Each structure stands twice: as C-alpha cells, then as structure tokens.
Amino acid sequence: MTFSVSWHALLDELDDLPEGATLITPLSHNRFRVTNVQEQRVIIDFEDSDEKRPLQRDQFETLYRRIGDEPNGFELDRLPADADPYPAVLSLHPRFEIDENAGVITEQDGPTTSQLLDGEPADDTDERSEPDLDVYADALLLVDALERHDVTTLSEMETDALVNLYTLLSDVQRNANDLRQDVADVLLDRLHHDRPVSGPFGSVQRTTRRNRSLKDEDEVLAKLEDAGIDREWVIGIDRSKVDDALEVTGLSETDVYDIDESEYVRKADVDEEVKETRLQGLKEQLAATEGQEADELRKEIEDLEGRIDELTSFRTGTEVHE
C-alpha cells in the first residue's frame, strides 16, 4: 500500500472521530484533540495549554517509511522531541499500532488499537469517588488541622495540638513516600528516553544509579598487593570488634569514640481510632451541610483531590512551536 492511500485512509478516520475525542501522546502522555483536517496537514489542540500545532503530511510520510524499514517496529524514543503527537494520530489508521511496553509503533495486517482515549468530552458533573489511599485520608485530616490552628506561631500552640500536627505530618510523609514509589515504578516503564518529562509542578527523568560493593576481602587485598599497595594502608578498624573489646577491657566508650548527642522528636504511637472518627466526622459534616458552607467545604476537598491528582499527571516539558 502506498503512502498516499494510507494517508487518505487516515484522513477518513480523522473525519469520523466523534466530537471531543481525545488522544494521548505515547511518550509524554499529553492529551490533545484533532480540531481541523486538511489535505496537507492536521491541526491539533493540547488540552493543558492554549497551544495549537499543525502536523504536516510530509512528516507523517517520513514516519510511515521509517516504520516500514523496521520489521520489529520503529522505536518511539528515536522521534524528535516535538514529534510525539505523530504516532498517536497515525495509530488511528486501522493498520498502525503503538506498543508502549516495547516502546515501538508497528504496522499490522489487521485492525489495531489506537491512542484514542474517549469519544465524548468528560462529564465533570459525574459523582466524585473518594480514593482508597491512606495518604488521602491523612492529608484530609492534616488540612483540617492546619485550618484550625495558626501554625505560623507554633510556640503559642497547645502541646496536644502540636502532637496531633506532628503525628499527621509523619503519617502523610510515610504514606506519600509509599505512593511516590508506586508512581515512580509506573513512570519508569513510560520513560523510554533521557529527555525530561514535565508536569505542572516539576519534571522527572530516567536516570541510572551506580552502586559499589567490595568483592571478597582476600581477593581485593591480593589485587592491591599485586599493584604495589601495602594491605595496611587499606585495612581499617572494625567497629564491631572495638565494641567487643570495650566489654572485656577497662576502657570507656569515650576513650575510643567521639560522641555527639542530639535530641529529636520521634512518633511513638498513632491512635487510628481517633483519626478515623475525626475523618468520618468531616465526611458527615460535608454530607449534612447545605448551602454556601457546604459548597465551600466541597470545594476545599475537591481542590485537595485535584492537587493529589495533578502530582501524578505528567506531560512533556519540551516547548514546541507552530
């Protein structure tokens, strides 16, 4: 099949898209919509910005030919930084498919899936569901505590209020870190290249951490001796043996250690029952209250949910121009 035939088949698919249909780019996971279909180009709008972009026919042809040259699929991370939308649009063609796990776009003999997310605009009036996350519940309690106390003057707060605040901060930190690691595990599968991917609050990049651990001690010492290094230069004091020696000698700890003591606060216990009672009270207050006060409370909770959602939503940080 020639590119001209494939191009016009793609244009037919684009003309048949339902109103409000959303596509997503395979690398940066930006959402966009096709707003205009022309003979020589396709105009798209990104959802998270006012940016409009023309996708040119000749660029689609270049991608088409590169896919044809690769029997196992064209690797998406070989795309230029601003070319992410092209494979997403091309995936609407019945014979082209994106495999995000493998990081490739391929041509198939039969019908394929596409990067089309939905056929209708999202209905913002749908009933919101509460995320089943520990960090969400703790964050809601923390926001409530921050609103009830003036934390700009911590020294004037009651001790029990400070204890509650510290406990909630500790719980949010722990649970947020668990969620952060879960998010990182998913992101790692989506970052196929070294280019940073940005969200509203920051950016992430796939990196490699290099850890070192010594080989067997005898092997290391033998290698160093062969290189002319005296083993006494690299053999240090074994701390565990020093501690054993202290127990059978008259030496004190300060004879062999420089000791610097510091004091800190450690969370000793959490009253989950009280936390759950307070959280349930907030939910019941929201359900029972009507009028402006209820609207304001719902708005606060929705804003909180929005901030959590946004922290797990990422888009490309590369600026592109028409």
Side-chain angles (χ1 to χ4, degrees), residues 50-302:
D50 296 330
E51 179 188 3
K52 292 180 179 289
R53 280 194 55 196
L55 305 181
Q56 305 295 343
R57 169 178 168 154
D58 58 347
Q59 298 298 319
F60 279 104
E61 183 172 5
T62 298
L63 177 60
Y64 171 87
R65 300 196 183 284
R66 289 185 177 180
I67 296 171
D69 293 338
E70 301 290 341
N72 296 321
F74 177 75
E75 296 178 359
L76 296 170
D77 59 5
R78 294 170 56 190
L79 290 168
D82 60 348
D84 209 6
Y86 282 89
V89 174
L90 187 57
S91 73
L92 292 173
H93 189 288
R95 292 180 55 183
F96 290 91
E97 183 176 39
I98 291 174
D99 183 343
E100 286 202 37
N101 290 329
V104 297
I105 180 171
T106 57
E107 183 176 5
Q108 305 292 336
D109 294 331
T112 64
T113 59
S114 75
Q115 293 298 102
L116 187 65
L117 290 182
D118 47 57
E120 297 295 336
D123 185 359
D124 294 333
T125 63
D126 288 346
E127 183 179 353
R128 300 178 65 91
S129 60
E130 177 185 332
D132 186 17
L133 294 170
D134 291 337
V135 69
Y136 175 82
D138 286 330
L140 188 59
L141 289 169
L142 178 59
V143 169
D144 176 63
L146 292 174
E147 290 178 345
R148 289 186 293 108
H149 300 288
D150 183 5
V151 295
T152 60
T153 55
L154 292 175
S155 60
E156 298 179 8
M157 289 178 58
E158 297 293 334
T159 300
D160 61 341
L162 287 171
V163 170
N164 287 340
L165 187 60
Y166 184 89
T167 301
L168 289 172
L169 287 167
S170 178
D171 288 345
V172 168
Q173 180 186 38
R174 182 189 68 252
N175 293 323
N177 191 62
D178 291 342
L179 180 60
R180 182 182 67 88
Q181 187 58 55
D182 292 340
V183 173
D185 292 341
V186 176
L187 277 174
L188 193 60
D189 293 333
R190 299 185 180 182
L191 302 179
H192 302 293
H193 50 81
D194 292 331
R195 293 192 294 266
V197 177
S198 296
F201 300 116
S203 62
V204 296
Q205 186 171 1
R206 186 172 188 148
T207 58
T208 300
R209 181 182 293 110
R210 185 170 179 263
N211 295 319
R212 299 191 310 166
S213 60
L214 283 173
K215 297 181 178 180
D216 178 76
E217 180 178 325
D218 292 337
E219 181 181 353
V220 173
L221 291 175
K223 292 286 187 182
L224 292 174
E225 286 182 338
D226 290 343
I229 303 297
D230 193 317
R231 67 170 54 204
E232 292 183 357
W233 290 5
V234 294
I235 295 179
I237 298 176
D238 189 326
R239 179 170 177 170
S240 64
K241 293 181 179 180
V242 171
D243 290 339
D244 290 341
L246 287 177
E247 294 182 2
V248 297
T249 66
L251 295 173
S252 68
E253 192 177 27
T254 55
D255 288 331
V256 294
Y257 285 109
D258 290 326
I259 300 176
D260 181 19
E261 293 185 350
S262 60
E263 296 181 348
Y264 65 97
V265 174
R266 180 178 65 87
K267 184 182 68 175
D269 190 20
V270 178
D271 194 327
E272 296 291 349
E273 184 176 350
V274 173
K275 285 175 55 179
E276 181 61 30
T277 300
R278 178 58 186 167
L279 182 62
Q280 187 61 36
L282 288 174
K283 296 176 182 178
E284 291 175 357
Q285 178 184 354
L286 176 60
T289 309
E290 299 181 355
Q292 182 177 358
E293 183 179 353
D295 293 338
E296 291 176 354
L297 185 56
R298 288 191 182 92
K299 177 78 166 54
E300 291 174 3
I301 295 177
E302 289 174 1

Side-chain angles (χ1 to χ4, degrees), residues 6-25:
S6 295
W7 173 248
H8 286 93
L10 176 61
L11 296 185
D12 289 340
E13 295 291 335
L14 294 173
D15 286 334
D16 292 338
L17 282 179
E19 184 178 356
T22 303
L23 291 97
I24 185 169
T25 57

